[in-house]
Amino acid sequence: MTLFTCKPYAFLLAVPFVFTAAAAAAANDATQPDPGALPPGYSTGVTGTMHDFDYFMGSGWNATQHRLKATGVGSKEWYEFPSRLCATPYLGGMATVDEVDMPSKGAAGLTVRTFDPAKHQWSIYWISSRDGILEMPAMVGGFHGSHGEFYGPDHDAQGRPVKVRFLWTLLDHDHAKWEQAFSYDNRTWETNWIADFVRGDRAELCDDGRPRR
């Protein structure tokens, strides 16, 4: 920035502004992604077993969804809405499909998972009813005990590049939690979606493996 003035005291008044602008620029730089860094824990080498999602299969689930209203802007406001999910294994458990129905949002989606026995790793894909597109690349990872971690690169709804993390926690036989977080700066995570699952009666919640509508 260049300041032009013919009043000696005007520069003194402008100095705090110059420093403030510099501080703002530095703060903005701090939020920019560091291409040489990775956010805490990020790894596309997490492994698991073909039985990681057995817990979730063959059941119907009621879930309360919590979604951050805006990502990457420091928002603290959340939407909360109900959903139901039905999960089905295929190929002896090597592939699974979950369909989730979110009636208050007028939306649904499919989670498709495939297990690579050579890598001991799951790949997770999402298809939204809004566009029918299989989202790529996949999230990859697996479980260690009751804790699952999955990671991958992606872009947010505004097209900004992010690192993505899924965390699964199997709380007990009838309860589970899923969390999604984005990293915009390759240094910190912002959790933006949480699903709290409660096991339900599949006969009441599902028709032919799909959520009853």
Side-chain angles (χ1 to χ4, degrees), residues 56-184:
F56 213 59
M57 295 299 107
S59 292
W61 296 84
N62 288 303
T64 303
Q65 306 281 345
H66 313 268
R67 190 170 187 181
L68 198 63
K69 288 188 176 181
T71 63
V73 295
S75 175
K76 303 299 181 184
E77 296 184 79
W78 293 76
Y79 295 110
E80 182 175 302
F81 52 96
S83 65
R84 59 177 52 182
L85 180 147
C86 299
T88 305
Y90 294 91
L91 302 177
M94 190 174 289
T96 73
V97 176
D98 306 348
E99 181 173 352
V100 60
D101 182 40
M102 299 169 280
S104 66
K105 296 297 180 183
L110 285 181
T111 298
V112 179
R113 307 183 191 90
T114 62
F115 185 74
D116 183 334
K119 294 182 178 179
H120 303 283
Q121 193 171 59
W122 286 93
S123 295
I124 302 179
Y125 306 86
W126 170 253
I127 307 169
S128 171
S129 65
R130 297 191 186 281
D131 56 27
I133 296 173
L134 181 73
E135 294 191 359
M136 298 287 286
M139 299 287 291
V140 296
F143 274 76
H144 291 276
S146 61
H147 180 72
E149 295 185 29
F150 304 84
Y151 298 94
D154 207 340
H155 291 80
D156 72 1
Q158 286 71 48
R160 294 172 292 182
V162 292
K163 299 292 193 306
V164 185
R165 179 184 70 189
F166 291 172
L167 297 180
W168 272 97
T169 305
L170 310 184
L171 300 169
D172 58 37
H173 181 265
D174 295 323
H175 299 84
K177 174 174 284 192
W178 171 84
E179 303 171 69
Q180 175 180 271
F182 290 171
S183 179
Y184 287 89

